[in-house]
Amino acid sequence: MRWSNWFRKRAPAPSVRPFDEHALDASVPPTVEQSVEEGMLLADYATRMAVKNHIVVDTIQDGNPFDPSRHTVHAAEILRELADEQDQASARASGARESVAGLGGDAMHPHDYRDVDVANLRLREQAATMLASELRERAASEEELRAIVERAREDAWHEVGQAIEASLDAFSGAEALKENYEAERPARLKLLIWRDLAKLEEERGGY
């Protein structure tokens, strides 16, 4: 004989605790040093990519021999441009910080700063000022510039090598079976350099 479900012991309903935002760990704002370190990493990457593109165009498209000094000048220009941008960012943060001091209420959008944002704006201002200074120091260091150019040269060589391998793979199969394939191979490589790599530079240009 089976007992009715009414007599069966029901499992207790799980208790759900109400959400308490005060129980969450408070977020720790980054320090000025951490902000500057992150900014330098981004600036280094942007500079290296710009110099890599400069190397590809100068040596492959324009046919000039690789000369590090031709590219250290370009790297210094990029670093100084980035430093100028940080000066502008510092000025904007400073102006915003002064304009919202003592201003209460709720923000209406992400850039509607209030008095509670003063500390964060001051951090941005200080970090941007320090970052601009470090970028200019790097732009004035021949050793730093040559290190950037060397890493960019390695990136350029890797990228060009991949493009050549991909294009040569496309020529395999039926093309490789042609009797005049080897005779035409130098012309194909020249076409690759002047057309395909130029297209690659156009697609990946900028930083």
Side-chain angles (χ1 to χ4, degrees):
M1 177 179 181
R2 301 181 60 185
W3 292 97
S4 170
N5 289 337
W6 188 84
F7 292 102
R8 292 185 177 180
K9 184 177 181 180
R10 297 179 180 273
S15 60
V16 179
R17 297 175 59 186
F19 175 75
D20 182 9
E21 62 177 324
H22 298 290
L24 298 175
D25 294 334
S27 59
V28 180
T31 64
V32 174
E33 291 73 17
Q34 289 172 333
S35 298
V36 172
E37 181 180 2
E38 181 179 351
M40 288 300 295
L41 289 174
L42 294 174
D44 178 75
Y45 178 79
T47 305
R48 199 173 75 245
M49 292 300 99
V51 175
K52 178 207 70 176
N53 293 338
H54 192 260
I55 291 173
V56 170
V57 172
D58 188 62
T59 58
I60 296 180
Q61 184 170 314
D62 295 343
N64 296 314
F66 177 73
D67 180 2
S69 63
R70 295 171 64 88
H71 309 293
T72 54
V73 172
H74 185 65
E77 291 175 353
I78 298 298
L79 290 170
R80 286 192 290 266
E81 288 178 7
L82 294 175
D84 291 342
E85 291 178 4
Q86 291 305 310
D87 283 337
Q88 297 169 14
S90 177
R92 288 194 299 269
S94 176
R97 175 178 57 79
E98 294 174 357
S99 66
V100 303
L103 181 63
D106 296 328
M108 303 302 293
H109 53 78
H111 299 289
D112 183 19
Y113 300 117
R114 303 289 166 156
D115 187 70
V116 296
D117 301 308
V118 165
N120 184 42
L121 289 169
R122 182 179 291 108
L123 183 146
R124 293 185 189 179
E125 177 186 352
Q126 294 173 348
T129 299
M130 293 175 61
L131 183 55
S133 177
E134 291 199 19
L135 287 169
R136 289 194 173 92
E137 287 182 8
R138 182 166 293 188
S141 171
E142 189 67 23
E143 181 180 355
E144 292 281 358
L145 293 174
R146 285 186 173 274
I148 292 173
V149 170
E150 176 58 24
R151 293 198 301 271
R153 183 194 65 79
E154 293 175 355
D155 292 337
W157 177 251
H158 178 70
E159 184 173 290
V160 169
Q162 286 185 323
I164 291 176
E165 288 180 2
S167 295
L168 290 180
D169 286 344
F171 287 139
S172 63
E175 290 288 339
L177 297 177
K178 292 183 177 181
E179 294 182 358
N180 59 346
Y181 176 76
E182 289 297 330
E184 293 180 354
R185 195 166 184 268
R188 295 182 185 277
L189 285 173
K190 185 175 181 180
L191 178 63
L192 167 69
I193 292 174
W194 288 101
R195 184 193 64 188
D196 295 357
L197 292 184
K199 182 179 179 182
L200 175 66
E201 167 59 22
E202 180 180 351
E203 293 175 349
R204 300 191 181 183
Y207 60 93

